[in-house]
Amino acid sequence: MKGKVYIIGVGPGDYKLMTLKAVECIGKADVLVYDRLVGSRVLSFAKEDAELVYVGKMPDNHAVPQGEINRILVEKALEGKTVARVKGGDPFVFGRGGEEAEALCNEGIEFEIVPGITSAIAVPAYAGIPVTHRDFCSSFHVITGHERPDKEESMLDYETLAKLEGTLVFLMGIRNLKAIAENLVRCGKDSLTPAAVIEKGTTSQQRLVSGTLADIAGKVEAAGIKSPAVTVVGKVAGLGEKLAWLEKRKLSGKRILVTRAREQAGRLAGKIEEFGGEAIEVPTIRITGPDSFEAFDSALDRLDTFGWLVFTSTNGVQAFFRRMKTRHIDIRRLAGIKICAVGEATEGELSALGLNAEYVPESYNSESLLKGLLEKIVPGEKILLARADIAGSELPMLLKDSGMELEDLIVYKTVLNHNNRDEIIKIIEDGSVDLITFTSSSTVKNLVSIIGEENTAILANTRVACIGPVTAAAAQELGIRADIVADRSTIEGLIDKIIERIASLN
Ligand code: SAH
């Protein structure tokens, strides 16, 4: 059976501008054929084993010829695969989606078009420029500013364009900006008409340059603006400075490295994005089960012999209940066992399962936990401590030394993600992150083990934020200075502190 091709637009940059349909189609595709302006977050919606085929511009600036792209689409569909042809913006706005649809049509291959939010409207909008406004214009026109180098005469009819009273939006025209502005003025457009250029719109690196037809090209050159950029000509272009909203978000323009395990990174990354920052997720660890489940299963079989169950992390909670589920152990077997949760997040994880912890230590260190437990525990009650392999033996030793009867159980393991080494070193070294976040001592240690101690010097030029004093101390020990330390050791506490301090750090 022949496969099907979805020709999908994913918007201009901010991946949250994808449509629900785009997310759905990308999620079910066997093959993704994607362009240069498609970000990695978009690709993260693909199936884990999906084949990724890049057909955008190569480093040497050579584009894959359109005929070749058409051929790939046809070939993959003929293999019976579901293909997502993923494009920036809208596929039918200067996206050559029409040509691809024709090629599929000629081969009798089924396809669907999934429209996207075009940069022609969304990029100005992110810069506070409405492409129409009742006071100023009654139309807007989207024009290619890309002129074929082999053409001596311009393809654009400037006489007609200059007469239009509507907003003019030029895509792909940044290199020809000077000629575009001059031609419009030569053909009669007022040289004082407002003009604006927006580079890398809707991303954390968006920049706006405003001026008039007379001076915009010079200003853009001085600012070093490069493709991709959108040019807006017309009175609405003057509104950008007044209506700018993107920059007002508290973490706007900040690129923040998130180093937690993939499973947990989501919440911190989500918060960063909520405040307009860009979260760069490079998980340093992966979470797996213990090497053997023998001790784990044995403890689960003897649940009723324990008086207390101590969880020190959300991962511990998840690992514990995952195993109970796998072994079909009913949650009611926990009846009568008291629960101690270290940290608000751990408490929250339990509460989501309908379990209220009897005891949550006020602060997160072992001493405080021990002190509280000693007060609560009834002599003879046995403790089951569910922890990570790397959590260290300090807590179990402390508990044992104080005479408690303790079973120390490793319920999950954290494994270093060495595959990310080069990527991490590169983004830190080339200054593409403004801040590195550490949410536990282990995230610091892991990052250092991955990049290698000999490379920690590269961290000196980047700001570092830690979730609390313990993490900051762990960083210090490895020669990393924490510029920001949260007062409350939670994701929210960390974000609040970053927002409070980040402006004064630059
Ligand atoms: N199909 C796309 C346009 C493809 S042509 C769409 O509907 O948006 C590529 C041009 O789009 C670029 O040269 C630039 O002019 C514009 N563009 C795309 N993404 C952009 C972005 N994030 N910021 C500014 N311009 C962008």
Side-chain angles (χ1 to χ4, degrees):
M1 237 198 30
K2 285 181 196 170
K4 180 168 178 175
V5 179
Y6 295 92
I7 302 181
I8 305 167
V10 290
D14 180 348
Y15 75 97
K16 288 190 177 170
L17 294 178
M18 286 167 79
T19 62
L20 292 175
K21 187 154 185 188
V23 172
E24 181 191 299
C25 295
I26 288 173
K28 68 182 173 194
D30 304 308
V31 187
L32 271 76
V33 182
Y34 67 101
D35 281 347
R36 182 171 69 101
L37 292 176
V38 172
S40 59
R41 290 301 293 261
V42 167
L43 301 177
S44 73
F45 289 95
K47 287 195 286 196
E48 219 164 76
D49 58 349
E51 181 188 354
L52 300 181
V53 184
Y54 176 71
V55 294
K57 280 218 178 88
M58 302 297 166
D60 63 2
N61 235 358
H62 256 80
V64 178
Q66 189 60 46
E68 173 68 9
I69 299 176
N70 296 353
R71 195 191 58 70
I72 295 172
L73 297 179
V74 168
E75 184 187 293
K76 298 287 177 191
L78 288 178
E79 286 171 18
K81 294 190 170 131
T82 299
V83 183
R85 170 69 180 111
V86 188
K87 294 166 173 290
D90 179 272
F92 280 5
V93 177
F94 301 125
R96 305 190 74 169
E99 291 159 64
E100 294 171 7
E102 277 182 308
L104 296 168
C105 198
N106 292 342
E107 299 289 333
I109 291 164
E110 199 187 341
F111 63 88
E112 276 188 41
I113 308 299
V114 182
I117 293 189
T118 178
S119 62
I121 299 171
V123 167
Y126 264 55
I129 299 174
V131 288
T132 72
H133 189 298
R134 254 169 65 123
D135 295 345
F136 305 139
C137 57
S138 57
S139 66
F140 71 98
H141 311 266
V142 181
I143 305 146
T144 171
H146 180 71
E147 300 268 28
R148 292 226 190 121
D150 52 337
K151 290 256 167 170
E152 286 209 344
E153 299 226 329
S154 173
M155 283 163 60
L156 296 177
D157 174 3
Y158 285 104
E159 296 283 346
T160 307
L161 290 178
K163 284 195 193 79
L164 293 169
E165 60 79 59
T167 306
L168 306 181
V169 180
F170 291 90
L171 301 189
M172 302 180 283
I174 207 63
R175 261 195 247 137
N176 297 325
L177 184 60
K178 190 159 178 279
I180 291 171
E182 280 173 3
N183 280 319
L184 288 172
V185 173
R186 179 178 53 81
C187 295
K189 222 170 178 58
D190 185 348
S191 66
L192 294 180
T193 307
V197 170
I198 307 119
E199 178 192 49
K200 298 200 177 100
T202 81
T203 75
S204 64
Q205 291 156 69
Q206 172 174 313
R207 286 202 291 168
L208 166 71
V209 175
S210 305
T212 61
L213 276 181
D215 63 13
I216 191 73
K219 283 182 164 180
V220 159
E221 198 185 331
I225 298 279
K226 294 198 180 65
S227 173
V230 166
T231 303
V232 184
V233 177
K235 285 206 176 114
V236 290
L239 287 171
E241 287 182 345
K242 180 173 171 197
L243 299 184
W245 56 272
L246 194 77
E247 299 81 355
K248 299 211 168 109
R249 296 178 306 167
K250 291 177 175 137
L251 292 178
S252 187
K254 301 292 178 217
R255 307 184 73 190
I256 302 179
L257 188 73
V258 177
T259 56
R260 309 186 90 181
R262 178 73 81 195
E263 294 75 17
Q264 297 171 321
R267 224 158 55 82
L268 178 56
K271 281 275 167 204
I272 292 169
E273 286 167 357
E274 197 181 309
F275 290 104
E278 183 183 348
I280 305 171
E281 290 182 68
V282 217
T284 50
I285 46 170
R286 271 183 309 118
I287 294 193
T288 66
D291 291 333
S292 149
F293 280 96
E294 208 180 311
F296 200 160
D297 287 343
S298 150
L300 290 179
D301 291 337
R302 292 175 286 112
L303 272 179
D304 46 354
T305 64
F306 297 102
W308 280 86
L309 193 48
V310 180
F311 292 106
T312 58
S313 67
T314 51
N315 284 316
V317 175
Q318 286 166 6
F320 194 87
F321 290 94
R322 201 179 307 127
R323 191 64 187 169
M324 279 186 64
K325 192 161 181 216
T326 308
R327 300 227 15 241
H328 301 292
I329 297 174
D330 195 289
I331 196 164
R332 285 168 294 186
R333 291 273 309 281
L334 294 174
I337 305 178
K338 280 166 273 185
I339 296 178
C340 165
V342 181
E344 271 173 44
T346 312
E347 185 187 13
E349 193 73 31
L350 286 160
S351 141
L353 295 164
L355 295 166
N356 297 334
E358 268 77 11
Y359 173 49
V360 183
E362 250 161 54
S363 51
Y364 299 153
N365 55 51
S366 306
E367 287 79 22
S368 141
L369 170 69
L370 174 69
K371 195 163 153 275
L373 264 184
L374 278 173
E375 282 166 17
K376 302 210 170 344
I377 213 157
V378 177
E381 274 182 336
K382 198 171 163 188
I383 301 173
L384 179 60
L385 171 66
R387 68 172 178 106
D389 60 331
I390 47 141
S393 44
E394 185 201 8
L395 178 60
M397 287 210 328
L398 210 61
L399 296 178
K400 270 188 190 151
D401 287 351
S402 67
M404 296 191 188
E405 207 187 326
L406 177 83
E407 187 155 329
D408 180 19
L409 183 66
I410 289 170
V411 292
Y412 71 96
K413 259 180 58 172
T414 45
V415 191
L416 284 182
N417 217 344
H418 281 289
N419 302 342
N420 286 334
R421 179 177 184 273
D422 294 347
E423 188 193 346
I424 295 178
I425 291 182
K426 182 172 169 290
I427 57 181
I428 296 176
E429 247 182 347
D430 70 12
S432 40
V433 288
D434 299 300
L435 186 71
I436 301 176
T437 57
F438 291 118
T439 50
S440 66
S441 317
S442 60
T443 55
V444 184
K445 289 179 201 147
N446 293 335
L447 186 77
V448 170
S449 334
I450 289 178
I451 65 175
E453 260 181 63
E454 69 283 7
N455 282 319
T456 46
I458 62 170
L459 297 173
N461 297 325
T462 311
R463 303 298 189 178
V464 167
C466 291
I467 200 162
V470 179
T471 306
Q476 184 75 48
E477 228 167 81
L478 290 163
I480 301 167
R481 180 201 62 243
D483 303 284
I484 297 174
V485 182
D487 301 326
R488 283 174 298 127
S489 300
T490 59
I491 297 289
E492 287 70 23
L494 178 60
I495 284 285
D496 286 350
K497 201 69 183 179
I498 291 175
I499 289 172
E500 184 191 315
R501 301 266 294 118
I502 199 156
S504 64
L505 284 176
N506 293 332

